């Protein structure tokens, strides 16, 4: 039995759902976090002491941290090709997974929270502006990297595309001014057409 805990409005849960859907793995998703609560319940804290989502359960095995979940799923089902076979390509996938977690998503966080989850009369424009500026730096890095490339690493879709595209989905749908990044837009449109993306990436909320 495979169970994923977490609400689909979480970018981190979206990554895990996308990975499961790409691999065609059966799973049950249990709503948790945000308005659904549960994450402070003793049984949940026993699984994840951070009280965050997502958490993956597989026949008694428990794993938290969304990119760790992506790596676990991809490495456990290598025939699907989500984890690169070449060691250097795998290292590059790791690089982009870490970059998404440490740079891109943190850069967008304040702009997301301020424009999507904060009432208009309580928003802090200076906070939004700082977040947009940091996000533009990341978007510029992505756009330059994706010039002439179909995917983040090598010639095929991998977990690096899942992680970065989930963050890009949030950035590209925020109601903020953005510099147009053609390569980033083309790549996002390409990976967004995948059936698993339609399940994993709902409108921002």
């Amino acid at each position: 039995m495979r169970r994923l805990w977490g609400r689909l409005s979480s970018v981190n849960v979206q990554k895990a759902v996308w990975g499961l859907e790409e691999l065609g793995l059966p799973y049950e998703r249990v709503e948790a976090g945000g308005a659904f609560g549960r994450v402070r319940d003793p049984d949940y804290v026993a699984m994840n002491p951070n009280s965050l989502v997502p958490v993956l359960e597989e026949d008694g095995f428990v794993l938290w941290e969304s990119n760790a979940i992506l790596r676990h799923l991809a490495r456990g089902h290598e025939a699907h090709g989500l984890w690169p076979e070449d060691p250097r390509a795998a290292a590059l996938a790791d690089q982009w997974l870490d970059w998404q977690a440490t740079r891109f998503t943190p850069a967008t966080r304040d702009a997301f929270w301020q424009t999507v989850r904060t009432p208009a009369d309580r928003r802090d424009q200076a906070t939004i502006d700082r977040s947009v500026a940091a996000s533009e730096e990341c978007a510029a890095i992505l756009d330059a990297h994706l010039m002439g490339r179909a995917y983040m690493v090598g010639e095929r879709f991998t977990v690096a595309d899942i992680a970065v595209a989930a963050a890009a989905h949030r950035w590209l749908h925020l109601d903020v001014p953005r510099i147009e990044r053609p390569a980033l837009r083309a790549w996002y449109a390409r990976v967004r057409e995948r059936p698993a993306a339609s399940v994993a990436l709902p409108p921002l909320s």
Side-chain angles (χ1 to χ4, degrees):
M1 177 64 185
R2 184 179 293 106
R3 180 179 292 113
L4 183 72
W5 294 78
R7 68 194 190 283
L8 201 53
S9 59
S10 161
V11 67
N12 291 323
V13 175
Q14 291 167 8
K15 291 186 286 182
V17 167
W18 195 342
L20 288 163
E21 292 287 335
E22 285 286 345
L23 294 167
L25 299 177
Y27 68 99
E28 173 194 6
R29 186 172 63 81
V30 182
E31 300 285 14
F36 296 101
R38 297 197 181 201
V39 295
R40 300 288 180 183
D41 294 347
D43 58 340
Y44 191 91
V45 174
M47 292 190 296
N48 185 351
N50 302 290
S51 296
L52 297 172
V53 293
V55 167
L56 179 71
E57 288 185 275
E58 286 183 329
D59 300 320
F61 173 70
V62 175
L63 184 65
W64 39 267
E65 290 296 331
S66 56
N67 285 353
I69 291 170
L70 276 180
R71 291 181 177 103
H72 165 69
L73 294 171
R75 289 169 175 162
H77 301 84
E78 292 183 352
H80 288 78
L82 286 185
W83 190 255
E85 295 179 6
D86 176 74
R88 290 186 175 181
L92 289 172
D94 268 330
Q95 168 189 276
W96 287 109
L97 286 166
D98 288 352
W99 180 83
Q100 173 272 312
T102 62
R103 286 293 313 278
F104 196 13
T105 294
T108 65
R109 183 174 292 123
D110 284 345
F112 169 76
W113 274 90
Q114 288 286 322
T115 62
V116 176
R117 294 185 178 170
T118 301
D121 62 348
R122 293 171 53 194
R123 292 174 188 166
D124 183 335
Q125 190 60 48
T127 297
I128 295 171
D129 291 344
R130 285 192 297 269
S131 179
V132 168
S135 299
E136 286 288 13
E137 291 180 3
C138 293
I141 290 170
L142 263 184
D143 194 61
H145 173 71
L146 289 164
M147 290 287 185
R149 298 175 188 267
Y151 299 106
M152 291 297 300
V153 175
E155 301 300 321
R156 62 187 302 171
F157 181 88
T158 68
V159 290
D161 294 284
I162 292 175
V164 178
H169 174 72
R170 174 173 282 188
W171 167 240
L172 293 172
H173 288 87
L174 292 178
D175 185 17
V176 297
R178 273 179 302 274
I179 298 170
E180 190 56 38
R181 313 283 184 183
L184 169 56
R185 281 281 187 183
W187 163 80
Y188 173 76
R190 184 179 307 112
V191 299
R192 188 67 176 80
E193 290 176 353
R194 300 179 72 87
S198 297
V199 177
L201 302 178
L204 300 189
S205 64

